Amino acid sequence: MEPDCRFAMLARGRLLMALAIEGGLDALKKAEVEVAKIYQAVAELDAPRKGYYSQAAAMCTARLRVMEWLEQCEKASPSEAMQQHTPLDLSGIDLQHFPPSLVPPLLGLRSLNVSNANLRDFGALPMLRSLEELMASRNALVGGLAELKPLTRLAKTDVEGNLNLLEK
């Protein structure tokens, strides 16, 4: 394979993911890591679409963290899970937008950290109705906290460092 052929690299990533599905959770996690590396490499090769490929790499990282969070929740006893609220840490990932594809496995999530994730909007985050704690500091959020109104259980919110976010 040519080292700088983005089409061949992207095809390799697709094949890795397809094969990983048959291999179980560990294979899927390894594939997500590899595919994220592929997207990062392609982002450097394809300057006009760098943002797109960077977002794709960020989504690989987000899916990987969600898988690890689900594993952690599964290992905890029901009483431990209720006490700890097992927070999900998606901080430091260049997400820019919280996509709807992340919502289904997170139904029931109580605590989410998306600090320093370069979020520009809340996206599908208000669909997480069970959310009680949201840490979204140091992002580039625009708009207002009114977007979070559907989150009726939300008791603690940290949105410090979002210069363009309105309190209403």
Side-chain angles (χ1 to χ4, degrees), residues 3 5 15 34 37 42 55 57 65 67-68 83 93 105 110 114 123 131-132 141-142:
C5 180
L15 288 171
E34 287 302 312
K37 289 177 187 176
V42 172
Q55 282 298 288
R65 289 195 190 172
M67 283 187 268
E68 290 169 346
Q83 291 170 357
I93 301 174
R110 293 181 177 183
V114 288
L131 210 57
E132 296 173 1
L141 289 166
V142 176

Side-chain angles (χ1 to χ4, degrees), residues 12-146:
R12 181 175 182 267
R14 290 275 197 177
L15 288 171
L16 281 171
M17 290 305 293
L19 292 171
I21 291 171
E22 298 293 321
L25 187 60
D26 287 336
L28 198 55
K29 287 167 39 176
K30 287 178 186 175
E32 286 286 10
V33 170
E34 287 302 312
V35 172
K37 289 177 187 176
I38 289 171
Y39 280 132
Q40 290 166 343
V42 172
E44 295 305 313
L45 293 173
D46 192 357
R49 288 174 277 286
K50 182 176 185 166
Y52 171 79
Y53 293 118
S54 294
Q55 282 298 288
M59 278 305 301
C60 287
T61 304
R63 283 190 301 269
L64 180 64
R65 289 195 190 172
V66 168
M67 283 187 268
E68 290 169 346
W69 175 78
L70 288 169
E71 268 187 314
Q72 182 183 1
C73 290
E74 193 175 276
K75 289 177 183 173
S77 70
S79 61
E80 287 175 334
M82 292 299 286
Q83 291 170 357
Q84 296 174 350
H85 301 295
T86 315
L88 172 60
D89 184 7
L90 296 178
S91 64
I93 301 174
D94 190 18
L95 281 177
Q96 296 183 17
H97 175 81
F98 196 87
S101 61
L102 282 181
V103 172
L106 300 180
L107 295 176
L109 176 68
R110 293 181 177 183
S111 179
L112 176 65
N113 184 354
V114 288
S115 297
N116 201 28
N118 201 23
L119 285 179
R120 295 181 182 161
D121 61 64
F122 290 112
L125 205 142
M127 294 170 68
L128 299 173
R129 304 294 168 118
S130 59
L131 210 57
E132 296 173 1
E133 181 179 17
L134 174 64
M135 291 142 301
S137 62
R138 298 177 315 278
N139 281 295
L141 289 166
V142 176
L145 292 178

